[in-house]
Amino acid sequence: MKHLIKITLLLLFVPFLLLQSCQQGKGENAEATHEEHGHEEEEIALNEAQMKAVGITLGTVSMKNLHAVVKANGQLAVPPQNRANVSVLSGGIISNISVLEGEQVRKGQVLASIENQDLLKIQQDYLSAKNSFSYTSAEYERQKQLRQAGAGTGKFFQSSEAAYLTEKSGIAALENQLRQLGISPGEVSAGKMKHGFPLRSPISGTIGKITANTGSFIQPGTSVMEVVDNSKIHCDLIVFEKDLMKVKNGQEVNFQLTNQDDQQVTGRITGINKSFEDESKGVTVHAVIDNQAGKNLIPGMYVTALINIGEEHTMAVPQDAVVRSAGREYIFVVDNHQKEDQDRQENKAGSKEVHFRKLEVKTGTAELGFIQISPLEKLSDDARIATKGAFYLLSKITGGSDSH
């Protein structure tokens, strides 16, 4: 009877053990499955609409000269021959200003009009000198003919010749004075007297600050406005003594406009000063700018420049293409080894999917918006990467966890 009870209890206990074992196995399998699914996925697929919505753009890995460079700061400037002060030779009252600041003007264009009562006297002196010269010229010719005929005296001839040359040079001086004031001597000779003179632009360019108003009196030599020709704009960089021997004429320069959304232009070194600036132990280096893109460059803009002093090139990507996670750095590469049916697969919106895979890289020098990379596996020459939006791809892969 006791043996029967033991057998019965054993039969009841075995299924219980089996049930516990199954449940424990299921729990372990579930934990293993959770562990397996808990790992980060290395790939993600987005369609074109999703990419556009989150601002993901594609590009390629480029070769940039980020190592052999000298970094310098400076300002944009124009040569002295491309900057002109519009000044008056003779004082007077401004009767009209015909231009505005920022307006494009051509050489010789009238910018303002100046009224000067003394101008009438200059014109009267010119007319009087011309009328007197008619008699002096006739007398000179008469004395010259008499001398040639042997009938005159040398004293009268020399006197008439001196008067002739003196009045002739005086008339020429008055004519030059009138021309400098913008008045035609021919018009004055015809009786067209002027009570004012025009102020003309000495060069073609853009009107800078206008320092006078209509009706104000201007002293001789006073600047009324400035004209700047930005077509020859260049950059004045400060290179310090430790880097000076590395910089030479002809070297290429990449400029970043500091306060203009980091816009970039290129140029070339054309001159190196031979003296230090004050006590900074820096030397001014001049570089011409290649502004074929027509960017709005204005003298005085601050720039950061990289002077390329070597030929070493390195792989580089935009800084936005690199993301960091758990102390490592990554870029996202478009997977070129997708199956053909995946390539042809379209989502409901009718746009193809783009598959990205995470690729670990080592980074180096970062300048002008680019950063040097060394991929831990070989990249094809035509590999495409996410140049913007890489942080979004990382957050999708990590499930929104902190990726910093």
Side-chain angles (χ1 to χ4, degrees):
M1 182 69 179
K2 289 180 180 179
H3 290 292
L4 182 61
I5 292 173
K6 289 180 179 179
I7 292 171
T8 304
L9 291 173
L10 184 61
L11 291 174
L12 291 173
F13 188 66
V14 168
F16 176 75
L17 291 176
L18 291 174
L19 179 62
Q20 287 291 100
S21 176
C22 290
Q23 288 178 348
Q24 184 176 356
K26 286 181 181 178
E28 290 176 354
N29 289 339
E31 187 176 347
T33 302
H34 176 73
E35 244 179 60
E36 181 180 354
H37 287 286
H39 289 304
E40 284 187 9
E41 296 290 340
E42 298 298 321
E43 293 191 7
I44 186 174
L46 296 177
N47 59 47
E48 294 174 354
Q50 291 171 321
M51 290 173 59
K52 184 176 181 181
V54 297
I56 294 177
T57 59
L58 301 180
T60 58
V61 177
S62 56
M63 300 300 293
K64 293 287 183 181
N65 189 350
L66 295 180
H67 281 310
V69 297
V70 168
K71 187 174 182 179
N73 296 317
Q75 286 182 285
L76 299 185
V78 294
Q81 59 269 32
N82 291 91
R83 181 190 293 270
N85 289 321
V86 183
S87 304
V88 295
L89 292 175
S90 178
I93 296 175
I94 298 179
S95 61
N96 177 52
I97 297 177
S98 55
V99 293
L100 298 174
E101 292 181 1
E103 185 176 336
Q104 293 288 326
V105 296
R106 64 185 183 279
K107 182 177 180 179
Q109 180 177 334
V110 176
L111 308 179
S113 298
I114 310 293
E115 289 188 358
N116 186 342
Q117 296 301 319
D118 293 337
L119 189 62
L120 292 174
K121 184 177 184 308
I122 297 175
Q123 296 172 89
Q124 289 173 350
D125 291 343
Y126 173 68
L127 291 176
S128 297
K130 284 201 69 176
N131 292 333
S132 175
F133 183 70
S134 299
Y135 170 78
T136 303
S137 177
E139 178 62 19
Y140 171 67
E141 290 296 330
R142 188 173 72 85
Q143 291 295 333
K144 185 166 64 172
Q145 291 174 3
L146 289 173
R147 185 179 183 187
Q148 290 174 352
T153 64
K155 180 180 177 180
F156 287 113
F157 172 75
Q158 290 174 355
S159 176
S160 64
E161 183 181 38
Y164 172 82
L165 294 176
T166 299
E167 291 187 19
K168 184 177 180 180
S169 62
I171 290 174
L174 288 170
E175 287 179 344
N176 287 332
Q177 189 175 356
L178 290 172
R179 289 192 184 98
Q180 287 178 342
L181 294 172
I183 297 175
S184 169
E187 292 185 355
V188 175
S189 299
K192 297 179 180 179
M193 304 284 284
K194 305 286 186 181
H195 57 81
F197 57 90
L199 198 59
R200 300 183 183 272
S201 177
I203 63 172
S204 297
T206 305
I207 297 295
K209 185 171 182 58
I210 300 175
T211 57
N213 300 317
T214 301
S216 57
F217 180 81
I218 301 298
Q219 295 286 351
T222 304
S223 175
V224 176
M225 63 188 76
E226 183 184 52
V227 181
V228 180
D229 178 11
N230 287 341
S231 64
K232 301 297 182 182
I233 196 166
H234 69 275
C235 185
D236 291 337
L237 302 170
I238 300 297
V239 175
F240 293 104
E241 185 178 5
K242 64 183 179 68
D243 296 321
L244 189 58
M245 300 305 294
K246 304 173 187 176
V247 178
K248 297 177 177 61
N249 285 336
Q251 289 173 336
E252 184 181 349
V253 186
N254 293 316
F255 300 98
Q256 188 175 29
L257 304 179
T258 308
N259 300 322
Q260 300 294 318
D261 299 327
D262 293 333
Q263 297 183 57
Q264 296 182 28
V265 291
T266 60
R268 193 166 298 277
I269 300 294
T270 57
I272 303 172
N273 283 10
K274 300 302 179 183
S275 60
F276 289 108
E277 295 291 326
D278 300 327
E279 298 178 357
S280 65
K281 284 297 182 181
V283 171
T284 301
V285 173
H286 307 280
V288 296
I289 294 176
D290 179 13
N291 189 25
Q292 293 183 358
K295 295 184 182 297
N296 186 23
L297 304 181
I298 300 174
M301 283 183 173
Y302 289 99
V303 298
T304 299
L306 292 181
I307 305 172
N308 298 330
I309 61 173
E311 298 299 330
E312 183 181 0
H313 282 65
T314 183
M315 296 178 69
V317 298
Q319 288 182 278
D320 290 342
V322 178
V323 290
R324 293 166 178 80
S325 177
R328 296 180 177 181
E329 295 170 307
Y330 302 92
I331 62 173
F332 283 90
V333 184
V334 176
D335 192 352
N336 292 324
H337 302 288
Q338 304 172 40
K339 296 179 181 179
E340 292 183 3
D341 58 341
Q342 288 178 324
D343 287 337
R344 292 192 297 266
Q345 182 181 6
E346 295 185 354
N347 62 8
K348 295 179 182 180
S351 60
K352 293 181 180 180
E353 287 187 338
V354 178
H355 291 249
F356 296 93
R357 63 185 179 90
K358 189 171 67 171
L359 174 63
E360 186 175 356
V361 297
K362 298 296 183 183
T363 61
T365 305
E367 294 289 353
L368 295 175
F370 284 86
I371 187 167
Q372 174 197 0
I373 63 166
S374 299
L376 298 192
E377 64 179 70
K378 183 175 176 59
L379 274 177
S380 61
D381 293 338
D382 60 346
R384 292 190 300 161
I385 65 170
T387 54
K388 285 187 179 179
F391 182 80
Y392 173 82
L393 296 173
L394 181 66
S395 66
K396 293 292 289 184
I397 284 180
T398 58
S401 60
D402 187 7
S403 58
H404 293 282

